[in-house]
Amino acid sequence: MWFDILPSFWEGAKVTIELTLFSAVIAFFLAFAAGFGRLSKHKAVRILATTYVEVFRGTSLFVQLFWIYFALPLFGIMLPKMLAGVLALSLNAGAYGSEIVRSTIISVPKGQTEAAIALNMTPWQRTRLVILPQALVMMLPAFGNLIIEMLKGTALVSLVTLSDLTFVATVLNSSIMRPTEIFSVLLVIYFVISLPFTRGIRWIEHRLSAGRY
């Protein structure tokens, strides 16, 4: 029965969760850095941020992971499997997240910014006290979707033989040949892992939205 293979997934589940959490944190900061960079008044910053975003949005995560783990050693840079996986996932998600940041910031009504200027607020105060609190609420649903996509993207780290859930399922299937049971269990585990992320984002969104409308 399926429950006799469930313990085999424990270590893989831990790796998948660690990959998702570490990558999400790094991607969050990359998204804000690139998002604000694309809105910068300085042309060099805009070019740098746009180049990063276009490269990582325009190429496959699979190829990015392959390049980071297998091609960088040709330049003398060798990364552990976990670090390579986190780097690929966070760089990819950060590029997509930057568009979320950029689009929500420019969607904040200009009247809000004009009112802040009238109150003699500095650019930093306008961003921190007026623009970001409103934009962050709008960002959350999209960031929640991005985290779920990142969770599913962790399956690609099996390329570098990192023992995540998908890698464990593949090895297990090659040894006992029970694909229907194994991949059904895998499906359920991915769903169970994704559920707290979804609920957590909705809770944060509700808390931040309270009293605003």
Side-chain angles (χ1 to χ4, degrees):
M1 293 294 292
W2 64 267
F3 52 81
D4 65 333
I5 61 175
L6 193 58
S8 303
F9 285 97
W10 173 242
E11 290 300 322
K14 289 198 297 183
V15 171
T16 294
I17 293 171
E18 288 174 1
L19 274 169
T20 304
L21 290 176
F22 292 147
S23 300
V25 171
I26 297 172
F28 180 81
F29 288 104
L30 286 174
F32 271 85
F36 277 102
R38 296 179 70 190
L39 296 172
S40 175
K41 295 179 180 179
H42 303 287
K43 185 176 181 180
V45 176
R46 291 200 307 273
I47 291 174
L48 182 63
T50 301
T51 300
Y52 155 64
V53 171
E54 295 303 325
V55 167
F56 281 91
R57 285 204 310 173
T59 56
S60 165
L61 174 57
F62 182 88
V63 175
Q64 293 162 16
L65 179 60
F66 183 92
W67 199 89
I68 288 172
Y69 188 72
F70 292 106
L72 283 183
L74 299 177
F75 301 93
I77 304 174
M78 300 187 67
L79 300 177
K81 297 175 184 179
M82 176 64 80
L83 180 56
V86 169
L87 189 59
L89 287 166
S90 58
L91 285 170
N92 183 272
Y96 282 96
S98 70
E99 183 60 24
I100 298 172
V101 173
R102 188 193 68 82
S103 60
T104 51
I105 287 176
I106 64 177
S107 69
V108 174
K110 290 186 178 180
Q112 301 285 334
T113 303
E114 292 169 356
I117 294 173
L119 292 172
N120 202 31
M121 288 185 175
T122 65
W124 167 241
Q125 288 175 323
R126 294 198 298 268
T127 301
R128 182 172 61 90
L129 300 176
V130 178
I131 297 173
L132 270 183
Q134 298 178 71
L136 190 58
V137 175
M138 293 186 284
M139 292 177 196
L140 282 174
F143 270 125
N145 291 335
L146 191 60
I147 290 174
I148 300 304
E149 289 299 320
M150 196 184 310
L151 170 63
K152 292 186 288 186
T154 59
L156 293 178
V157 300
S158 57
L159 170 70
V160 297
T161 65
L162 191 59
S163 298
D164 73 310
L165 279 170
T166 301
F167 182 83
V168 170
T170 303
V171 172
L172 193 60
N173 184 55
S174 66
S175 62
I176 64 175
M177 298 299 293
R178 290 158 61 184
T180 302
E181 293 177 44
I182 290 171
F183 288 97
S184 294
V185 171
L186 182 64
L187 182 149
V188 172
I189 293 175
Y190 270 116
F191 174 76
V192 170
I193 293 175
S194 69
L195 197 58
F197 287 109
T198 304
R199 297 294 185 184
I201 291 292
R202 287 179 182 172
W203 181 82
I204 295 172
E205 183 184 0
H206 176 73
R207 295 285 294 180
L208 292 178
S209 301
R212 290 188 178 275
Y213 304 103

